[in-house]
Every structure is written in structure tokens, then in C-alpha cells.
Amino acid sequence: MENIELLSNKLERALLTLDRDKAEEIIRETGKENTAIIISGELVSYTLQRIGEAWEEGKLALSQVYMSGIICEELIDHILPPASPQRKDQPKMAIGVFEDYHMLGKRIIYSTLRASGIELMDLGGGLSVNTLVEIVKRENIKILLLSVLMLPSALHIKLLKEELLGIDVKIIVGGAPFRFDDQLWKEVGADATGKDTTEAIALISELIGVKA
Amino acid sequence: MITTQMTSMERVLKTLSHNEPDRVPFFLLCTMHGAKELGIGIKEYFSSAEHVIEGQLKLLKKFGSDCLYPFFYAPLEIEAFGGEVIFHDDGPPNSGEPCIKKAEDITKLFAPKLSDAKPLHRVLDTIKGLKENVRNDVPIIGVVMSPFSIPVMQLGFEKYLEIMHYRADLFDRLMQINEEFCVEWANAQLQAGATAICYFDPISSSTIIPRELYEKTGFEIARRTISRIKGATATHFASGKCLKIVDLVSQTGTAVVGVSSLEDIVQLKLSCKNKLTVLGNLNGIEMRRWTTEQTKKIVYDVIQKAANGGGFILSDNHGEIPFQVPDDVLHTISETVHSFGQYPIRQ
């Protein structure tokens, strides 16, 4: 995409000022020369990654990352509906909150990935080991993203991993305990961790073999 | 055990006045560890004031912390609002699904009356029991969730951010209800014998909202609420960052700020100088697997960086030490403060 820096700057400004109309106008204008999948996979994905990076660097707050993701998800859903054949051909993927109901982190990653053209199931919150094992088997989930807020929940991922032994599924974890202890994801046997939206997009793109 | 001349209360008051006491005060903010001391489960432990009184006193004797912490668990106030609390065997009780199902339900919401809120009575009884034991020698820290932060448990984070940004009418009504409740709950704890109130306000942290939004929301709410709390307060961001807003935090009337391990304590101390006492900033999540040597080094480093001149209380950065942190680590923290935290601090 030409002028991606310029367009991304404009889109970022619109998102951070919660100017949904302006964001829509930028996406509509870009759509005159680009397909929906290019807009989501390049412009929107790139912009949300930059916003995620700015949060990581302490320049932006989580509420801004969340609101940007929500606006983009809604706009992209208009031009690229969930069932669109243009959406990326990918392994089956799901996201959920493990053992508690603090949904924000999960929602941010869900919105960001969907706005970037990646489709995934939202499993909600309060998920137990048994529920997840059943869903993974029934839905043939290949990539499972789990968000946790509490340390005990993070430690219980080890139990889930044990229950899923021998099943072809990658577990990617995120959330506060993993941000405060960078060795914890290995300790619980996760396949990877992502600190923010930027890392989530990069990880998923690598796993499904597309350009981030 | 090294004998010191000051009581914990004197030590803490001295540091709050931005002067150096005999040694660095330290707050081991253990909640669930009391259950281990009594050899019972976490749910049973929090079901009775007697358990928590006994647990807190045993912990005080064991580790020599400079405060008592009769904080039960974060969703206690939500329980009073009629919400669900989920207990775990190995961690803090957590809030269940939000008790306010639709944003519009805020128009019908009323704060619980303290006289009817049985879960809160256990805390008041705990404070009274602790006060009878320690009199004025050890500070007793009561806890409230800030009116601005408790909606995360009342509504869920997403719905709350949406009303914060787009529904000023509902946001204002919710804050009005929460402020009244928070002030009444804080003052009841002070009346029961709490020395000060820890005002937990993680949503105001710069990790969660930008400074401009804090200035219009969490800051004004804290100013109004804290001015009506009849005792000293400490504002805690529960691991969230606050360097960008400490100048505003100091204008809310609070005396202490709980800071994150993710920010530079030297900068924080400098920004808070003579305005706010810094409380922090040991990483509670990592603390679980610290070795003795690591613990000594980390505690020593923090003391070196932040203790000079007073205005500093060593603590974890979240306001609650995880259940998984072993006693050995807590002992080492205590021993290191006693060995290297004597004023004047040797560089």
C-alpha cells in the first residue's frame, strides 16, 4: 500500500480522538484503490500495532488501545464481514478469559486481530480447564489464546496444558501476571506469550503464515 | 531481632512527614497468608473476623511488618452491592459476572446500607479486634475501592469504558452513588480503629487511562472523595503506572502513593519529594520465585534508591502479596530491611 505512513498517521489521530466518522472516511477513501483485506491486513493492522507499541512504551493508555480496537473492528466488519471469503484462510482459532471475568485484555486482542482480518471465536470468560478441553476437542481449535488477570489463574494453565497433552493445539497466553514475570509463560508450559497487541498480531501472523 | 527505639506508628508517621525515622518502615501487605498461619482454607479464613485478627497478629509477630492489614479481598464491596464472589484455594477471591447487567440499570442502582452489609461488618469487627491488641503502636490500614475504579467489578471493564466515554449521564450517577458509599465505608473503618485508608484506584493509573481523562474523571472524584474521608489516605494504583500523574495525585489530599515496579523509583521519589510518601515497589509476581540472594539484592537496591530523606515505605507494588510467595522470602525482606534500612542509609 502506498502512503501507508501518512494514512496510518491520519487514522491513528482519528482513533485517539475517538473520531469514528473521520476513521470511517479514511478507510472509505483508502478502499477506492485497495481491497478490504489489504486495508485490514495492512493499514488497520499497522496502525493498531503502532498504538499497541505506544502503550508498551508508556505513551498511551489501555483505554485508548481498547477504544481504537473497537472502532476499527466495527468499521472493518462493514467492509469485510466475518463470513467474507476474502478473510484469511487460517487454522481455527479461539480466545477466552481463563478462570475469571476480567475481559478487557481479551477484548482488545480479539478486536485487534479481527480488525486485522484474522477471524477467531470468542469464548467469553470464566473458562475452566474442563470447559476449554471440551471446546478445543469439539471445535478442533488449533490456536488458543488465553487471557488471565490473576496469578493463580496463570499458574493453572499448566493443568490445562497437561489435559491437552497430545492434542495439536498451540496455547498463547497474555495478561498482567505474564507482564510482571517474563519467565512465567514458560513455567506454565505455554507455547508463547504476547505482551500487547503488537506482539499478538506478530505471533498469530507467524503461526498462520501471513505477513504482519 | 534488632531492637529499635521507635514504634511502628512513630516510624511511619516520621516518614510521612518526609523525615528519616530510625529505619525504613516496611509494609508486608499479606492478606491470604493468615490462612496458612491458621492452617485453614482461604474461604474459611475470611468467613470470620476472629480468624483474620489471629492471622494478622501472627503475621505481625512472625515478620515484624510496620502495619496491620485487615483487607479481606477486592470484591468484598461488590458482595455488599449484591454481586458474586468466587473463592479459590490458592488465590484471592475474585468477582464473578458483573452485578450491573445493563448500563441503563445504573438509573435504578442504590448503594447498600452499611448496617445491612454483613460482609463489611466482618472487616469492622477485625479492625476493632486488632485495635484492642495493638492500641496506637502499629498502624492499621483500612481499604476502600475508589468510586472510579469499583465499576470494573460492577459493570465489567468494557461497559465501563463505554459509559465513561459516551454516557456522561450514567457515569455521573454511578460516581455519585459510589462516592457516597466509599466515604461512608472509609469513615466506618476509621471509626472502628483504622489508622488510615488505602484508596485503591487502579483505573486512574496511566497504564489504563490517559492523563487528560484522569484530570477530568479519577482526579476530580478522588479530590471530592478523599476530602470527605476523616483520616489519612494512601492512594494505590495496584501495579499501575503513575509517574505521569503524581503531580495531580498530590493535589487530591492523599499522603501516600503506591507505585509500580514498572516505573523508575528514583524518578518517582524525586517527583513526590515533600509531597507524597512513596510506597513500593517490589514485584509481587516475581517475588514468588526469588532466591534469598535475589531478595536481599532487590530490597537493598530499592532502599538505596528511595529511602534517603524519609517519605518512603518499602512494600510490594500491588497492595497484596500473592499466596504463593513463600515465608522464606518474606523473612528475608524483613531481615534485609532491619540490616540495611537503618537511617542514615549507608551508600
Side-chain angles (χ1 to χ4, degrees):
Chain A
M1 182 183 289
E2 281 180 29
N3 298 325
I4 189 161
E5 284 294 332
L6 183 67
L7 285 167
S8 180
N9 284 342
K10 284 184 186 171
L11 182 59
E12 185 179 327
R13 206 171 310 127
L15 295 173
L16 296 181
T17 52
L18 302 180
D19 191 343
R20 192 194 170 285
D21 293 342
K22 184 72 189 169
E24 187 175 9
E25 184 191 315
I26 295 163
I27 285 178
R28 205 176 44 239
E29 284 299 310
T30 313
K32 288 179 182 168
E33 290 176 11
N34 295 280
T35 63
I37 201 75
I38 286 177
I39 295 171
S40 63
E42 294 189 20
L43 174 62
V44 172
S45 178
Y46 178 61
T47 307
L48 290 176
Q49 283 190 64
R50 282 178 24 167
I51 289 173
E53 274 168 13
W55 178 65
E56 193 58 43
E57 290 162 8
K59 292 176 186 160
L60 291 177
L62 202 59
S63 64
Q64 293 168 301
V65 183
Y66 169 75
M67 297 306 287
S68 302
I70 292 291
I71 293 171
C72 286
E73 185 189 9
E74 192 193 322
L75 294 175
I76 290 299
D77 266 351
H78 278 298
I79 59 169
L80 188 65
S84 166
Q86 283 191 76
R87 286 219 176 235
K88 288 165 186 170
D89 182 21
Q90 54 172 67
K92 206 157 179 191
M93 206 181 306
I95 189 167
V97 179
F98 187 49
E99 292 190 347
D100 68 53
Y101 291 92
H102 296 277
M103 310 277 200
L104 191 72
K106 183 262 294 176
R107 188 70 168 97
I108 288 172
I109 299 297
Y110 177 75
S111 302
T112 303
L113 290 175
R114 292 202 67 246
S116 303
I118 296 166
E119 198 51 52
L120 71 170
M121 285 172 72
D122 183 355
L123 305 179
L127 300 162
S128 66
V129 170
N130 290 344
T131 309
L132 282 169
V133 171
E134 193 209 316
I135 294 172
V136 166
K137 288 180 180 170
R138 188 184 64 224
E139 300 290 337
N140 197 21
I141 302 294
K142 297 294 179 198
I143 300 171
L144 179 62
L145 294 99
L146 291 177
S147 170
V148 300
L149 182 72
M150 316 295 284
L151 175 63
S153 312
L155 295 169
H156 295 167
I157 286 174
K158 201 169 188 173
L159 303 174
L160 174 69
K161 184 75 185 174
E162 283 165 13
E163 289 296 320
L164 290 171
L165 205 68
I167 295 173
D168 178 23
V169 56
K170 298 264 186 246
I171 298 179
I172 299 174
V173 294
F178 299 104
R179 293 180 57 79
F180 279 88
D181 183 348
D182 59 9
Q183 295 177 33
L184 185 58
W185 68 277
K186 287 182 192 161
E187 182 186 331
V188 302
D191 295 288
T193 187
K195 276 193 291 190
D196 49 42
T197 49
T198 312
E199 289 193 4
I201 293 174
L203 267 169
I204 298 299
S205 301
E206 193 185 320
L207 281 172
I208 67 177
V210 297
K211 189 181 144 206
Chain B
M1 175 72 77
I2 295 165
T3 52
T4 52
Q5 292 174 335
M6 287 183 161
T7 63
S8 290
M9 184 72 87
E10 289 165 342
R11 187 173 298 121
V12 170
L13 289 175
K14 187 88 172 176
T15 211
L16 290 182
S17 69
H18 300 272
N19 287 298
E20 295 183 351
D22 53 349
R23 69 156 166 79
V24 173
F26 74 108
F27 285 3
L28 278 186
L29 300 178
C30 295
T31 56
M32 298 158 281
H33 284 71
K36 281 187 200 171
E37 292 299 313
L38 270 60
I40 58 177
I42 290 170
K43 188 172 183 181
E44 187 188 349
Y45 177 69
F46 286 123
S47 70
S48 133
E50 284 71 31
H51 289 159
V52 183
I53 294 167
E54 193 184 344
Q56 280 292 311
L57 292 173
K58 278 178 182 271
L59 292 168
L60 183 71
K61 196 172 168 193
K62 194 169 182 177
F63 301 116
S65 168
D66 285 305
C67 78
L68 286 160
Y69 196 45
F71 171 49
F72 278 40
Y73 41 84
L76 181 89
E77 294 172 31
I78 288 298
E79 217 174 345
F81 270 93
E84 184 193 13
V85 174
I86 301 169
F87 284 86
H88 302 280
D89 296 334
D90 57 355
N94 211 338
S95 54
E97 288 196 56
C99 52
I100 302 174
K101 302 293 177 201
K102 299 195 303 280
E104 294 298 335
D105 291 347
I106 292 168
T107 56
K108 293 176 272 175
L109 183 74
F110 290 96
K113 284 186 183 160
L114 282 193
S115 54
D116 298 336
K118 293 275 187 290
L120 305 183
H121 296 179
R122 289 199 298 273
V123 176
L124 297 177
D125 291 343
T126 304
I127 294 171
K128 283 177 198 160
L130 291 173
K131 184 75 175 178
E132 280 169 18
N133 275 277
V134 300
R135 308 278 170 189
N136 287 322
D137 287 346
V138 183
I140 300 171
I141 313 299
V143 166
V144 294
M145 295 299 129
S146 87
F148 184 59
S149 290
I150 197 172
V152 169
M153 292 186 280
Q154 292 174 312
L155 279 158
F157 225 138
E158 297 167 47
K159 222 176 268 162
Y160 182 41
L161 282 178
E162 274 157 36
I163 74 156
M164 196 192 294
H165 284 97
Y166 300 123
R167 292 296 305 268
D169 55 334
L170 295 177
F171 177 77
D172 290 345
R173 167 144 173 83
L174 186 60
M175 290 308 114
Q176 199 181 10
I177 294 164
N178 289 348
E179 280 177 43
E180 289 306 313
F181 175 73
C182 180
V183 168
E184 196 185 356
W185 174 221
N187 287 334
Q189 291 181 72
L190 290 167
Q191 204 171 5
T195 316
I197 297 295
C198 185
Y199 179 88
F200 269 102
D201 198 13
I203 305 307
S204 285
S205 104
S206 310
T207 305
I208 306 293
I209 60 169
R211 180 185 162 101
E212 312 81 68
L213 186 55
Y214 171 65
E215 213 165 350
K216 284 188 252 169
T217 56
F219 169 63
E220 289 297 340
I221 291 155
R223 253 206 327 197
R224 285 198 300 264
T225 307
I226 289 171
S227 71
R228 293 169 62 203
I229 294 176
K230 296 170 182 162
T233 59
T235 299
H236 209 303
F237 296 106
S239 309
K241 295 178 185 175
C242 66
L243 191 54
K244 281 184 182 173
I245 55 167
V246 279
D247 59 319
L248 293 170
V249 175
S250 68
Q251 294 171 45
T252 62
T254 200
V256 180
V257 60
V259 301
S260 175
S261 61
L262 299 177
E263 288 185 311
D264 179 8
I265 198 144
V266 175
Q267 272 192 61
L268 281 161
K269 185 77 193 302
L270 209 60
S271 304
C272 293
K273 194 175 178 186
N274 294 330
K275 289 182 284 191
L276 290 167
T277 288
V278 172
L279 175 79
N281 69 344
L282 305 176
N283 183 333
I285 301 289
E286 275 187 0
M287 197 185 280
R288 191 176 51 90
R289 55 177 177 76
W290 284 351
T291 62
T292 303
E293 282 313 306
Q294 261 181 305
T295 309
K296 278 185 190 167
K297 187 182 181 312
I298 290 165
V299 172
Y300 176 82
D301 282 351
V302 174
I303 289 173
Q304 289 289 313
K305 286 176 178 168
N308 267 322
F312 175 68
I313 300 170
L314 183 83
S315 185
D316 71 292
N317 82 154
H318 193 72
E320 185 175 61
I321 292 181
F323 189 61
Q324 288 75 10
V325 173
D327 282 4
D328 286 353
V329 171
L330 301 178
H331 274 301
T332 308
I333 292 173
S334 174
E335 285 160 13
T336 311
V337 179
H338 281 91
S339 303
F340 297 102
Q342 305 291 328
Y343 283 107
I345 303 295
R346 280 167 298 162
Q347 296 292 319

